[in-house]
Amino acid sequence: MRVSILTLNPGFFAGPLGEGMIRIAREAGIVTVDLVPIRDFATDRYGTTDDYPYGGGAGMVMKVDTIVGAFESVSAAEPGVTPRTLVTTPQGRVLTQEWARELAQERHLVLVCGRYRGIDERAGAFLSAEEVSIGDYVLSGGEAAALVVLDAVSRLQPGVLGDAESARGDSFSEALLDAPVYTRPEEYRGLRVPETLLSGNHEQIRRWRRREALRRTLARRPDLLSGRALSDEDRRFLDEIRKEEASS
Ligand code: 6GU
């Protein structure tokens, strides 16, 4: 897939694009990232990208001509493909794993990093963009959010993760938190790895992990359990956990 990132701060991405899973996905030719410096599309000789809001008020608004120019420089990069365009803003729809899976199917994503008070509303008529937020808190700019979207969709591209990792599935694919994990040594400063995990009994280990995943989810994210169809086994585990927690 191609991901075009429109930003006032292209330098922000230099480190992250060259590290870890995103680097591997790019080097394998599975993900192509274009960094589009919005300032290059300023229409005056000073490189102005923002201006005062009509009607007054604090902050600056990103100019429509600049954004549309930057968008049009990449919108035909994949022949015959209309890009799916997202603008990062705390006003947006919150990114979920389900939405990330949908976005990962696109041939061409355009991510516009919002800054200042936002983007001139008229840009919407040319970009047909959706608005994306990565959670209920405020960032100083959309670059960190665009990186989150890029990471979430890149790791879902076929061939990016190793077989073991992708077969394992993601915690949120199943909408339960993961069980705790341990590695060597068996004992560290008096703390032992749970015996079940050392037992070699795969069925017992599966049950232990399922129970601990439910325990964590109930404690930290009970919202993930409500309105969710549970197996008989899950319901039994949850009853046991509730009894344990009540008596401790
Ligand atoms: Cl997408 N942008 C900004 N500036 N702040 C955010 C955000 C995005 N998502 C959460 N907070």
Side-chain angles (χ1 to χ4, degrees):
M1 88 184 303
R2 176 184 296 273
V3 181
S4 305
I5 302 176
L6 278 52
T7 173
L8 288 170
N9 277 316
F12 181 96
F13 296 92
L17 289 180
E19 300 286 343
M21 174 275 305
I22 293 175
R23 176 174 69 84
I24 289 165
R26 293 176 66 217
E27 285 177 352
I30 297 170
V31 176
T32 301
V33 179
D34 316 309
L35 283 180
V36 183
I38 292 171
R39 191 166 305 279
D40 289 357
F41 297 87
T43 52
D44 68 7
R45 68 192 123 132
Y46 311 106
T48 307
T49 54
D50 61 344
D51 205 341
Y52 297 98
Y54 278 118
M60 301 292 274
V61 176
M62 291 170 77
K63 288 167 66 62
V64 61
D65 51 353
T66 320
I67 292 289
V68 171
F71 173 74
E72 288 179 345
S73 79
V74 290
S75 61
E78 291 291 327
V81 175
T82 303
R84 179 95 175 250
T85 304
L86 301 177
V87 177
T88 63
T89 163
Q91 273 73 242
R93 170 183 170 197
V94 175
L95 185 68
T96 60
Q97 188 61 22
E98 189 185 6
W99 194 14
R101 273 195 296 268
E102 183 192 323
L103 296 172
Q105 312 283 320
E106 298 288 341
R107 287 263 300 280
H108 188 189
L109 269 190
V110 176
L111 305 177
V112 184
C113 302
R115 289 242 132 199
Y116 313 110
R117 273 187 66 185
I119 299 174
D120 188 312
E121 189 71 14
R122 291 167 294 181
F126 303 93
L127 272 58
S128 22
E130 299 159 86
E131 296 188 336
V132 60
S133 163
I134 61 163
D136 292 336
Y137 39 80
V138 180
L139 305 173
S140 55
E143 279 75 14
L147 201 51
V148 166
V149 176
L150 175 64
D151 188 301
V153 301
S154 296
R155 63 186 292 286
L156 293 173
Q157 299 303 306
V160 171
L161 295 186
D163 288 342
E165 260 180 296
S166 40
R168 194 189 138 269
D170 298 306
S171 165
F172 277 91
S173 317
E174 249 229 307
L176 277 192
L177 303 187
D178 279 343
V181 294
Y182 300 84
T183 186
R184 288 185 286 184
E186 278 186 33
E187 182 179 328
Y188 178 71
R189 298 192 183 180
L191 295 181
R192 289 194 52 77
V193 173
E195 289 306 319
T196 305
L197 296 179
L198 308 174
S199 68
N201 181 330
H202 297 297
E203 177 55 18
Q204 235 181 296
I205 292 170
R206 182 198 66 76
R207 281 203 298 264
W208 183 89
R209 287 191 169 140
R210 188 72 190 175
R211 183 195 300 263
E212 296 311 312
L214 287 162
R215 188 193 308 281
R216 270 195 173 174
T217 308
L218 183 66
R220 301 180 188 178
R221 294 293 307 277
D223 57 297
L224 296 177
L225 292 173
S226 54
R228 180 167 184 283
L230 294 170
S231 66
D232 290 348
E233 183 185 58
D234 285 350
R235 247 177 293 116
R236 190 155 42 75
F237 284 158
L238 279 170
D239 285 344
E240 289 168 9
I241 291 163
R242 287 199 184 93
K243 277 188 202 121
E244 281 170 37
E245 309 288 323
S247 70
S248 70

